[in-house]
Amino acid sequence: MSGMNENKQRAGFTGRRMSLARMRAGQRGKIVRMSSSYGIVRKLEALGIRQGEEIKKISEQWMRGPVLLQHGNSQVAIGFGMASKVLVEITGEEQQ
Amino acid sequence: MRILLMGNPNVGKSAVFSRLTGANVIVSNYAGTTVEFTKGSVKIAGQHIELVDVPGTYTLEPTNKAEQIAVEMLEACKNDDIVVNIVDATNLERNLNLTLQLLQKQVRIIVALNFWDETKHKGITINLEKLEDILKVPCVPTCAVTGQGVKDLVERIKEAKPSSFKYDEQEKWHEIGNIVDKVQTITHRHHTFLEVLADASVKPLTGLPIAIVSLFLSFKLIQLIGEGLKGYVFEPVFKNLWSPLMLKLSFLLSSRGLIHDLIIGHLVEGQIDYGQSFGLLTTGLFVPLGIVLPYVFAFYVVLSFLEDFGYLPRLAIMADTLMHRLGLHGLAIIPMLLGLGCNVPGVLSTRILETRRERFIAVTILAIGVPCAALQAMIVGLVGKHGIVNLGIVYGTLLVVWFVLGVLLNWIIKERSPEIFIEIPPYRIPYLGSLSKKIYMRIKWFIREAVPFVLLGVLLVNVLYTLGIIQAVGKIAAPVITRILGLPREAVGALIIGFLRKDVAVGMLIPLGLTTKQLIIASVVLTMYFPCVATFTTLVKELGFVDMLKSAGIMLLSSLIVGGLLNLILA
């Protein structure tokens, strides 16, 4: 994907869909679909992170490092690969 | 009858266990501190009851080994057994998932809402009566670290009962949502300083500087506390109080003979020299207590604080990309840090890693490249005298070896490494009581494990020298020791004793009068070549015999290569 497209995708308007990996830190979104492997989906669901839930992305790291997300009062760090398989609909953004 | 403590990871099960039994278990602020179940005994109404600290689990449909153990233990429950379900009151929704699954099992249950004090800071109010009404089991608020509410929990434990609460498995989360809506109210509040700091610790622009600064400060603090204790407390005590006593004893033993040499060792110009005398009551006590203990204490003060504060999982996030180069993920940084204290708990904590391959890589590079506090104290004392640069060469070499070996192992053992997946706890101000208890436990463990082995090591040094065994092995090993490593052949004694205790082994180098270059090579080789016996037995248990042999082969080979290279490169 070209750099420009990527920037557009990351612009993050409310209602836009993108993977958790592409969300910006500080954005909130509702989980639309999780297409990771069965084991990982189960791990996430055991923590209450599932379709329809609202989450917030706290941080990401350089070079495809882990993504930290907040759900309710708890924070979970997951790998970039897992995060790119969680599709999210943006619902809002906090000033960083 | 038994009592099982069950709950999500990092909700304070071990803290409750420690409160109830008075037993000593390690409690920290990150998921996976308890990798194996711990048993203890609690006295309730004059009756001794077995209490089990079960590893944390989010669900009864296990997704990893620790959870598997938890489920198996629950399945083995008998009718009169009681499950104390510890719940993080600040995360009610997530925790109720396990609670509901437990209620389904029709065992006797009592719920403890832990971190109750924290709910107030977080603006969370939970209506306990309503929760009891819905779940139909007793619910008790607790704060296990400080001990609040634990007495109530004990008093009400007999009220534990199977619940008649029913729900539709398909609608589980909907049901949980309903319960939370009914019992919990949240008032909005501003971010606290700790929350702002927590977020800053995991963002690359702020998190990396924070990681570097906190690691640097940790090392400085360990150095400051360690050197201070050693220079101002332990050394003066040995010099001014213990030495005169030993000299009197030496006189009583008529200053020579086998017994004298075993107990006191050789006098240097009529005085005790703790570096060279090598008697049981002189060098044998001075090494573990006079040199090593100050640094071990300093290390555990700093590590325990970082653990309880909640920094380690955040460091794991920051280190994740680096650790992936080694075929591991960020969590593997935790065993490495624990290993800097003692390799044994370091190796044990590799159980937080998911696959066998990851654990093999982690324990191998840990045993080779991570020197324990006892070894470091001796190296710092010996090499540090020759300048900070030379100490830097030792540490730098070990770091490079650790990294390169990890990269190589990752390349040789081809397999995808799993990604990090861990809940990140909030920062918590450590509670002084539990923090000091943890440090005390670790120090006690060190003294109990180290002192006998050091004494045995010193005894063995004397026996092996007297029997001429070290000299004989020295002759055989001479080509390797002198040609490849450039060390005098007597250094083989240190390599033999190093299997027992590496700190004693470094101590054995003192009388040899090595050059700076030889000291550097000897320190690096002693760290790398083979684990001490305590780590060795742990490795066999954790890896199995075959993998241990492979790991040991890597250790011997790489120490020869690295030692040989240093011998070639260093001037």
Side-chain angles (χ1 to χ4, degrees), chain A residues 30-84:
Chain A
K30 205 168 235 177
I31 298 177
V32 180
R33 192 172 63 238
M34 298 196 286
S35 50
S36 336
S37 73
Y38 176 63
I40 287 162
V41 170
R42 259 191 10 178
K43 271 185 168 182
L44 287 164
E45 282 182 346
L47 281 152
I49 299 166
R50 59 201 195 282
Q51 204 180 311
E53 284 294 293
E54 196 177 66
I55 53 167
K56 179 184 162 193
K57 181 162 172 177
I58 302 287
S59 73
E60 61 191 3
Q61 305 299 319
W62 294 323
M63 297 164 75
R64 303 175 149 246
V67 168
L68 183 63
L69 64 94
Q70 173 142 5
H71 171 251
N73 248 331
S74 62
Q75 297 189 344
V76 183
I78 63 175
F80 188 88
M82 296 184 203
S84 52

Side-chain angles (χ1 to χ4, degrees), chain B residues 94-246:
Chain B
R94 192 201 68 207
N95 279 257
L96 280 178
N97 178 28
L98 179 70
T99 305
L100 257 54
Q101 292 182 45
L102 284 171
L103 294 181
Q104 286 281 82
K105 295 280 173 187
Q106 291 301 307
V107 285
R108 295 173 67 193
I109 291 183
I110 177 167
V111 174
L113 290 124
N114 202 26
F115 296 127
W116 190 254
D117 54 330
E118 249 179 61
T119 58
K120 294 183 192 102
H121 312 311
K122 294 205 158 153
I124 299 168
T125 325
I126 296 171
N127 188 328
L128 277 171
E129 290 81 35
K130 260 191 199 164
L131 189 62
E132 280 195 2
D133 269 0
I134 297 171
L135 299 180
K136 301 189 173 64
V137 291
C139 299
V140 188
T142 58
C143 177
V145 178
T146 62
Q148 278 170 311
V150 174
K151 220 174 138 191
D152 297 335
L153 178 66
V154 171
E155 274 166 17
R156 293 193 64 188
I157 245 168
K158 295 254 154 151
E159 293 173 32
K161 58 184 179 191
S163 165
S164 52
F165 177 79
K166 289 276 181 294
Y167 68 93
D168 178 7
E169 181 59 33
Q170 295 297 315
E171 295 290 307
K172 185 176 66 185
W173 285 105
H174 188 70
E175 189 70 55
I176 291 170
N178 281 343
I179 299 173
V180 172
D181 284 346
K182 276 182 208 153
V183 302
Q184 178 178 280
T185 46
I186 296 180
T187 45
H188 182 75
R189 70 194 167 104
H190 289 286
H191 283 297
T192 63
F193 169 69
L194 282 183
E195 282 166 340
V196 175
L197 185 64
D199 281 0
S201 308
V202 291
K203 292 189 173 143
L205 276 177
T206 43
L208 277 176
I210 288 177
I212 292 166
V213 167
S214 43
L215 289 181
F216 177 76
L217 282 181
S218 300
F219 281 118
K220 273 284 155 203
L221 202 60
I222 291 168
Q223 195 189 12
L224 194 76
I225 301 175
E227 272 175 15
L229 279 176
K230 186 176 142 194
Y232 293 102
V233 183
F234 288 86
E235 273 178 355
V237 166
F238 269 93
K239 215 172 174 180
N240 302 327
L241 298 175
W242 193 244
S243 286
L245 269 175
M246 286 301 105

Side-chain angles (χ1 to χ4, degrees), chain B residues 465-526:
Chain B
Y465 266 114
T466 314
L467 296 177
I469 291 176
I470 288 183
Q471 294 88 325
V473 178
K475 243 180 213 164
I476 302 167
V480 176
I481 304 281
T482 54
R483 291 234 191 96
I484 300 183
L485 302 177
L487 299 173
R489 91 174 37 158
E490 297 82 42
V492 82
L495 291 175
I496 296 172
I497 294 302
F499 178 60
L500 211 56
R501 280 293 301 187
K502 293 196 177 183
D503 42 10
V504 180
V506 177
M508 288 173 70
L509 300 174
I510 300 173
L512 298 183
L514 301 182
T515 63
T516 309
K517 175 183 167 181
Q518 287 175 324
L519 278 178
I520 293 173
I521 296 173
S523 302
V524 169
V525 171
L526 266 177

